Amino acid sequence: MTSKASKLRLKRKQRVGRPIKEGVARTDSGQISRAKNPAEPADKVAREARMRIFGVEAEVASTPEAASFMGRLSLLGHKGGGISRDQYEALVRFSMDRESYMKSIMAPDSLVNVGDGGPSSFDEEADAESRARAKRRYMKARDAIQEAQNENRTVNLWAAVEHIVIKNMNFSHMIGDLRLVGNALHRHYQGLDRRREAA
């Protein structure tokens, strides 16, 4: 006959925890996955929509370029009726400069939630200097676009900037204007980069 203590030890060894469910999908951390189709990638719906609506090929549908009209034009390339890679990169750089400028003048933006968090120490002098730099960069890029507009008076380059670059609207009749803007900005940024390298 076994003692009460040995029975308790045997019972404790048998009951370690809840039994593990077999044959269920699990996440990387080992938890049971609650996804309906765990084998599918997260961006599957977006890729399928881009392929169906915009006619983008499957291998490039998940790239960031496929998400915007400018990016899809870049994927087409200049020979395919779109824009060149240099033009695309210059337009994206202008878009980032514009975003920095809008932040520097504290323009309201519904997509950016401004909170009270962050570091408690604040360097006003460095902040004012970075704001001034952002304003100068944006204004010089605007001057380059205006110079191209002055050379090409029969087209409206600012409409292409507003509708395609800023608002990401699909205006196929403005692709030629967008190329002119891209060329002007590419020359502008190339000159800036050369000056930085020389300094």
Side-chain angles (χ1 to χ4, degrees):
M1 192 157 92
T2 58
S3 68
K4 190 173 183 179
S6 63
K7 285 181 183 178
L8 280 173
R9 268 185 255 134
L10 185 64
K11 206 174 196 182
R12 284 184 190 138
K13 284 183 182 179
Q14 291 173 352
R15 255 189 353 175
V16 179
R18 186 187 321 177
I20 295 174
K21 290 184 179 179
E22 299 294 328
V24 293
R26 297 192 174 272
T27 62
D28 293 337
S29 65
Q31 293 180 339
I32 295 175
S33 174
R34 291 181 275 167
K36 290 183 181 177
N37 299 321
E40 293 181 359
D43 66 340
K44 180 184 178 203
V45 174
R47 281 188 294 126
E48 288 174 352
R50 289 174 188 161
M51 288 170 11
R52 186 179 65 250
I53 296 169
F54 303 121
V56 180
E57 284 121 31
E59 55 269 3
V60 294
S62 60
T63 60
E65 287 89 3
S68 70
F69 181 61
M70 268 188 343
R72 289 188 296 276
L73 290 175
S74 171
L75 291 173
L76 284 173
H78 188 69
K79 291 180 181 175
I83 59 176
S84 69
R85 192 72 191 164
D86 291 336
Q87 292 166 339
Y88 173 71
E89 288 173 1
L91 291 165
V92 168
R93 194 166 166 184
F94 171 76
S95 181
M96 291 185 335
D97 283 349
R98 181 187 177 276
E99 188 177 326
S100 298
Y101 170 74
M102 296 305 271
K103 286 179 183 176
S104 73
I105 63 170
M106 294 186 198
D109 187 359
S110 62
L111 299 176
V112 178
N113 297 326
V114 180
D116 295 332
S120 57
S121 63
F122 181 69
D123 188 3
E124 287 185 31
E125 190 175 307
D127 183 53
E129 187 177 320
S130 72
R131 286 175 187 237
R133 263 195 320 265
K135 287 177 186 176
R136 280 193 306 269
R137 267 196 323 263
Y138 178 66
M139 289 303 171
K140 285 180 182 178
R142 279 184 60 93
D143 291 344
I145 296 172
Q146 186 59 48
E147 189 177 317
Q149 177 65 64
N150 294 341
E151 292 171 4
N152 303 290
R153 293 186 180 271
T154 58
V155 294
N156 188 353
L157 301 182
W158 289 109
V161 170
E162 177 69 23
H163 296 298
I164 298 176
V165 179
I166 297 171
K167 292 184 179 176
N168 190 25
M169 297 172 84
N170 188 349
F171 286 144
S172 300
H173 65 281
M174 291 186 176
I175 294 174
D177 303 346
L178 187 68
R179 287 181 188 143
L180 292 172
V181 174
N183 288 337
L185 288 171
H186 179 65
R187 282 191 305 269
H188 166 70
Y189 288 124
Q190 224 176 13
L192 281 180
D193 293 342
R194 271 194 231 114
R195 275 181 246 138
R196 275 196 204 123
E197 288 172 7

